[in-house]
Each structure stands twice: as structure tokens, then as C-alpha cells.
Amino acid sequence: MKYIIIILLGFFVMNTSAAGESIEPNFKAISDLDAAINLAHSMAANSVSQFVELVKNRGNGAYMAKLRFRDPELSDKSGKDQFLYLWLTDVYYHEKENILSGIFFEVPAGLKKWHQVGERLGFESEDVFDWMINTDGHVQGGYTIRVHRSKLSTAQEKAEYDEYIGISSYEKISQ
């Protein structure tokens, strides 16, 4: 079965421009058959225990996790399950419950019936499709955003993308 994946890209951007106008989240539709995205999800899954340890020993930085959400209305309309992948921020580890939680900072229209900006959602580490820690622009993890960035054609597009999402450098990934 083929699914369409929609990834929220604008996770570091404030919701207003310099001119004070509202900025909408930037979404990108990606097929679940995309080999690079599937590899990125696999790499994130294989390193999620590292992420959990980093969250437990929390330092400075933005701790984020990307989760998968079924879009009920779009799924009903298309007759097939359709998913959105969204980043939650301020990921925290709850020792007593042995779960993680994160906060929605952008919610697409299709999910506003169920989730709100500012809502904290608990989840298991197995629910994480990607993870990222951004410390002053230096990123650990972020496997799927690296894939998206690699598909940009020019150095200028990559620089604009990095600026848009608040990244100045990427930690090397060992495979």
C-alpha cells in the first residue's frame, strides 16, 4: 500500500515574518517509497536510544522528535491512510512513566480538531521517526531534514534552507 508522507519543514521559524505577517508552515509531500527517507527513518530508529540518553541528560539546545500522525479527514477522503509527520519540540523524558513528551508548536489544519499549538503529548521512544537536537545552530540527528536538504539543487537553496530552519552545521553521522 502506498502512502503519502507530509513533513513539516518550518519547525524553527517563528510564525510571523519581519513585516509582521503570518507565516504558514512549510510542508513537503514525500512518498513512503522514497528510499532515502526510509533509510533516514531507519537510522533514526537505530539511534533513538542515544537520543533518549541525551534527553535524560538534557543540556542546552532544542530537543525535538518527529512523530507520525494519521490524518483522519484526508484518509477518509482518499480511501487510504494518509499520514503527517510532525516535529514536537521541548522533548522531555518522564522517568517515572518511562515515556517522552513534546510540545506542538505548529499544527496543520487537518489535525487542529485533535491537537493544539502548545499541547504536550506523551509518546514512546518507538514512536519516534526522527530526532534532532539543535544547540546554537549545531545539529545532532535530523536524518530526514538532511535528506530533504540533499535534494536541493544549489548551494544557495541549501543555505536558504539552513537559515530557514536555524541550522549552521550538521554533526557527522557514522553509519
Side-chain angles (χ1 to χ4, degrees), residues 8 25 27 86 104-113 115-118:
L8 180 64
F27 291 95
L86 301 175
F104 288 93
F105 58 94
E106 294 178 320
V107 179
L111 293 181
K112 286 187 177 181
K113 191 175 191 180
H115 300 288
Q116 303 301 313
V117 170

Side-chain angles (χ1 to χ4, degrees), residues 93-112:
Y93 178 74
H94 303 268
E95 189 172 345
K96 184 177 178 183
E97 297 85 0
N98 192 31
I99 64 167
L100 299 163
S101 72
I103 296 175
F104 288 93
F105 58 94
E106 294 178 320
V107 179
L111 293 181
K112 286 187 177 181

Side-chain angles (χ1 to χ4, degrees), residues 10 24 33 45 47 57-59 90 104 111 121 129 135 147 152:
E24 291 299 316
L33 300 177
S47 62
N57 299 314
R58 196 175 177 96
D90 193 27
F104 288 93
L111 293 181
L121 178 72
F129 277 79
T135 307
V147 170
L152 298 174

Side-chain angles (χ1 to χ4, degrees), residues 1-5 30-34 78-83:
M1 181 179 292
K2 184 177 177 183
Y3 301 102
I4 296 296
I5 301 170
I30 299 174
S31 168
D32 71 339
L33 300 177
D34 185 302
S78 70
K80 295 183 204 174
D81 284 339
Q82 302 291 317
F83 296 96

Side-chain angles (χ1 to χ4, degrees), residues 41-98:
H41 285 169
S42 177
M43 291 172 70
N46 290 337
S47 62
V48 76
S49 61
Q50 173 189 356
F51 175 63
V52 172
E53 287 306 312
L54 290 166
V55 171
K56 286 179 180 179
N57 299 314
R58 196 175 177 96
N60 292 332
Y63 289 73
M64 304 181 78
K66 184 167 75 170
L67 306 180
R68 182 172 85 164
F69 297 86
R70 182 177 178 274
D71 185 326
E73 291 176 2
L74 189 57
S75 295
D76 290 346
K77 185 185 266 186
S78 70
K80 295 183 204 174
D81 284 339
Q82 302 291 317
F83 296 96
L84 299 168
Y85 288 76
L86 301 175
W87 289 93
L88 301 183
T89 191
D90 193 27
V91 173
Y92 182 81
Y93 178 74
H94 303 268
E95 189 172 345
K96 184 177 178 183
E97 297 85 0
N98 192 31

